[in-house]
Amino acid sequence: MRVVAHALLLLIGASVTVTANDAPKTAKDLLSEAKAHLVGGRINDAMTAFDMAIDLEPKNYLAIFRRAAAQLSVGRMSHALRDFNSVLEIRPDFDQALVQRGKIHLRDCNIPDALNDLRKYSQSTPKDEEILEVIREAEQAQPDLIELDSLLAKKQYEPALESLSRLISLCPLHVELRLKRANIYEETNDLVMAIGDLSRVAGIKPTPQTLHRLANLRVKAGELTDAMASIKECMKQDPENKPCKKVFRELRALEKALKKAEDMFSKSRWKSAVTELLAEKGYMQLAERMGGDSVRLVGYKIACKSYAELNKKEEITKWCSSVIQLDEENSEALFFRGMVKMEAEDYEDALRDFEKAHNANQQDRRIVDAYQKAQRLLAQSKKKDYYKVLGISRSASKKEIKKAFRKLAQQWHPDKYDGKLTEEQVVKKMSEINEAYEVLSDDEKREQFDNGVDPNDQQQQQQQQGFRHGGGQPFFFQNGFPQGGGQQFHFNF
């Protein structure tokens, strides 16, 4: 019995010791713990400590205020607002709670409640210039909030954008205002600004609907990588979201089709590049269906360059014109189209393309040379054209040149001519035919003529020699040509 009694005494003693060492924590202890957790970045532990302290002292407005401030620091606005409301119920004149609650109301563009709190605070702290400035901004923005819906209903986008921008600068986290501004930007085809607002909305309040819309806009703007990231985030939130799954499949197909065309393009396999580009379910078909000028432009550039390398004149004109329609300063497309026009003897239009190309890219010597050649050919076409004399095209073979000459010689030789012209006129005509044949049957002279220099024009020959030896620059653009150098064209996809 003594042993049992002794054991019980030891157990009771141990219990008393444990109880003494494990005494309940006070609210003060818990608040100290919460502070330590906040310093260590342990937000959830800090909130637990705050909750326990406030359970012990539910009227401790300072403890509630500290919890509200902690909630505010991690962006938990609704929780912070609840706590500031509780603080002001206990102590209505607590200035710091008033100003913080006012700022939360302002972030949500609840301007009347924000002004109510901030004005009360300002009455007791009239020298706080920062808050006075906030009050002035809120008072100026209040009419914007009232008039906004009317402006949007009337589609008065310019004043509506001004009002929205003022309101958003005051309430940067207001989702509905950013969505309204994004709607206007999308309606007016300002995709960059629309994407900016929707990206911010997706950061504040990401929903599948917002992410799906953002992805579609990014596709239109040609931001395919970012579009894919938005769609993946949508599917992460809602794996069964049908609209996002559809865009995901389309983006994967578009990405795969572009890679095929680009692989051929990078290997200079021009025919294969356009085959892949224009194939059934190829890049261009997908790009046209999904929309977006930037996405289509990538395909147009590949086609323009590839057909230029293949020397397919009709296709060059078609695809390079498509590039220029979307990117009017694209020097590559302007150069290629100008070359086709020059070969078609449309020299004035060719000169216009070359001039635009030069203004867009003043470092490429090929554009300079092409412009000069077109100018010479234009001047030449107004004087003497040996091809027209023989009635042949500029692409005629040597055999075709000889055949044309023989036919004309049979017709116009003075000994064989049978017509109404005088002998002097016939001799002159035959002389022109001989001169044309002499130039076009000689490879060197023909090359000179094809470059706009008449080998039988002594003055032009002297000028050409002078230019060749640094004697001058005969052609002038609005911004002036560089005196040499050159640059290869590159596409950036």
Side-chain angles (χ1 to χ4, degrees):
M1 287 291 291
R2 284 182 182 178
V3 174
V4 174
H6 183 65
L8 284 172
L9 286 172
L10 287 174
L11 186 59
I12 292 169
S15 299
V16 170
T17 302
V18 170
T19 304
N21 290 337
D22 198 27
K25 294 176 182 177
T26 65
K28 185 177 179 180
D29 296 332
L30 291 165
L31 291 174
S32 297
E33 280 187 17
K35 183 178 179 181
H37 287 314
L38 286 174
V39 171
R42 300 179 295 276
I43 299 298
N44 290 335
D45 291 339
M47 293 303 167
T48 300
F50 274 128
D51 292 345
M52 292 171 68
I54 293 164
D55 284 345
L56 290 174
E57 296 181 5
K59 295 295 182 181
N60 187 338
Y61 69 91
L62 286 175
I64 302 172
F65 180 81
R66 288 174 189 168
R67 183 173 69 180
Q71 301 277 22
L72 199 59
S73 70
V74 293
R76 298 175 182 174
M77 299 299 169
S78 59
H79 293 82
L81 182 60
R82 239 184 349 255
D83 275 346
F84 288 132
N85 286 338
S86 297
V87 170
L88 290 167
E89 285 175 9
I90 299 167
R91 177 120 179 236
D93 61 344
F94 190 51
D95 286 346
Q96 289 305 312
L98 272 173
V99 75
Q100 293 301 333
R101 188 174 72 174
K103 287 180 177 180
I104 290 177
H105 284 317
L106 205 53
R107 287 183 182 184
D108 200 35
C109 261
N110 183 355
I111 293 178
D113 286 348
L115 284 172
N116 185 49
D117 282 347
L118 296 176
R119 283 169 180 160
K120 282 182 183 177
Y121 169 81
S122 188
Q123 287 171 3
S124 60
T125 316
K127 293 183 180 180
D128 191 331
E129 289 295 330
E130 181 188 344
I131 295 303
L132 289 173
E133 180 60 28
V134 172
I135 290 172
R136 281 192 290 271
E137 289 177 0
E139 288 172 342
Q140 290 171 3
Q142 201 162 17
D144 289 323
L145 199 60
I146 295 168
E147 296 171 7
L148 181 60
D149 288 338
S150 174
L151 292 173
L152 292 173
K154 295 174 184 176
K155 294 193 174 183
Q156 295 179 351
Y157 291 146
E158 191 172 337
L161 278 175
E162 291 174 2
S163 293
L164 281 165
S165 295
R166 283 192 294 268
L167 289 166
I168 289 170
S169 68
L170 196 65
C171 324
L173 301 180
H174 197 283
V175 167
E176 289 305 318
L177 290 176
R178 286 192 178 275
L179 287 173
K180 286 177 180 178
R181 190 167 70 174
N183 290 341
I184 295 177
Y185 284 137
E186 189 174 359
E187 185 75 18
T188 55
N189 204 35
D190 191 341
L191 297 184
V192 173
M193 296 302 289
I195 287 169
D197 271 334
L198 285 177
S199 297
R200 192 69 190 274
V201 169
I204 298 167
K205 188 180 178 182
T207 65
Q209 291 77 14
T210 298
L211 291 164
H212 176 260
R213 183 180 172 192
L214 178 58
N216 279 325
L217 283 183
R218 282 175 163 164
V219 170
K220 288 183 180 179
E223 301 173 4
L224 301 185
T225 302
D226 289 338
M228 182 63 83
S230 297
I231 282 299
K232 285 181 177 177
E233 183 61 30
C234 173
M235 294 174 67
K236 183 178 176 182
Q237 289 196 13
D238 181 6
E240 299 305 316
N241 187 283
K242 290 183 179 179
C244 285
K245 286 172 76 173
K246 181 183 176 184
V247 174
F248 177 78
R249 288 192 298 269
E250 289 177 338
L251 276 173
R252 287 292 296 273
L254 190 69
E255 185 181 54
K256 186 177 178 181
L258 178 59
K259 187 177 185 306
K260 286 181 178 179
E262 283 184 330
D263 283 347
M264 297 298 103
F265 185 89
S266 65
K267 295 171 183 175
S268 301
R269 294 173 61 180
W270 312 115
K271 190 173 181 180
S272 297
V274 292
T275 299
E276 291 291 351
L277 195 71
L278 304 176
E280 181 74 20
K281 297 184 180 179
Y283 181 81
M284 282 314 307
Q285 189 179 91
L286 294 169
E288 294 290 352
R289 188 174 74 239
M290 294 180 74
D293 289 348
S294 297
V295 176
R296 290 195 292 269
L297 183 58
V298 172
Y300 294 162
K301 286 180 178 179
I302 294 175
C304 171
K305 169 70 173 177
S306 298
Y307 280 121
E309 294 291 344
L310 293 168
N311 199 28
K312 300 287 186 180
K313 294 179 179 59
E314 288 186 13
E315 299 299 328
I316 293 170
T317 300
K318 174 185 174 180
W319 292 102
C320 292
S321 294
S322 295
V323 172
I324 295 162
Q325 188 176 0
L326 298 180
D327 180 8
E328 61 184 17
E329 295 184 354
N330 189 288
S331 60
E332 177 90 315
L334 286 162
F335 172 73
F336 288 142
R337 190 175 72 174
M339 293 297 288
V340 172
K341 289 178 178 179
M342 185 163 64
E343 287 191 39
E345 301 180 34
D346 186 357
Y347 302 124
E348 291 182 356
D349 267 1
L351 285 168
R352 280 190 281 271
D353 274 352
F354 292 143
E355 185 169 0
K356 289 178 183 176
H358 172 71
N359 288 336
N361 180 359
Q362 298 183 25
Q363 303 305 313
D364 195 288
R365 186 69 203 182
R366 292 185 305 171
I367 300 171
V368 178
D369 293 341
Y371 184 88
Q372 292 174 351
K373 180 177 177 179
Q375 271 204 330
R376 292 194 299 269
L377 290 170
L378 177 62
Q380 186 186 84
S381 69
K382 294 177 180 179
K383 294 179 182 177
K384 188 184 297 183
D385 188 335
Y386 296 132
Y387 288 101
K388 287 183 179 178
V389 171
L390 296 183
I392 56 177
S393 70
R394 285 183 171 266
S395 60
S397 66
K398 295 188 77 169
K399 185 177 179 181
E400 289 170 328
I401 293 170
K402 192 171 185 178
K403 181 179 178 182
F405 168 71
R406 285 178 174 175
K407 182 179 179 181
L408 290 170
Q410 288 285 333
Q411 179 183 352
W412 291 99
H413 194 282
D415 294 339
K416 297 181 180 180
Y417 177 74
D418 182 20
K420 295 180 181 181
L421 295 182
T422 66
E423 184 179 348
E424 185 180 346
Q425 289 173 321
V426 173
V427 169
K428 183 181 178 183
K429 179 70 175 177
M430 191 64 214
S431 176
E432 290 174 355
I433 293 169
N434 284 330
E435 184 183 26
Y437 181 67
E438 179 190 350
V439 170
L440 298 182
S441 62
D442 184 297
D443 290 342
E444 185 177 343
K445 289 180 179 180
R446 183 181 181 184
E447 183 179 358
Q448 281 184 294
F449 186 76
D450 285 347
N451 283 311
V453 179
D454 188 344
N456 293 326
D457 187 329
Q458 293 301 315
Q459 183 180 358
Q460 197 176 28
Q461 285 287 317
Q462 288 170 4
Q463 287 177 341
Q464 187 67 15
Q465 288 295 326
F467 300 144
R468 205 175 278 132
H469 293 92
Q473 170 61 273
F475 308 110
F476 299 92
F477 278 67
Q478 182 179 355
N479 297 318
F481 273 122
Q483 296 299 317
Q487 175 176 314
Q488 295 298 313
F489 284 105
H490 296 284
F491 281 118
N492 295 312
F493 298 109

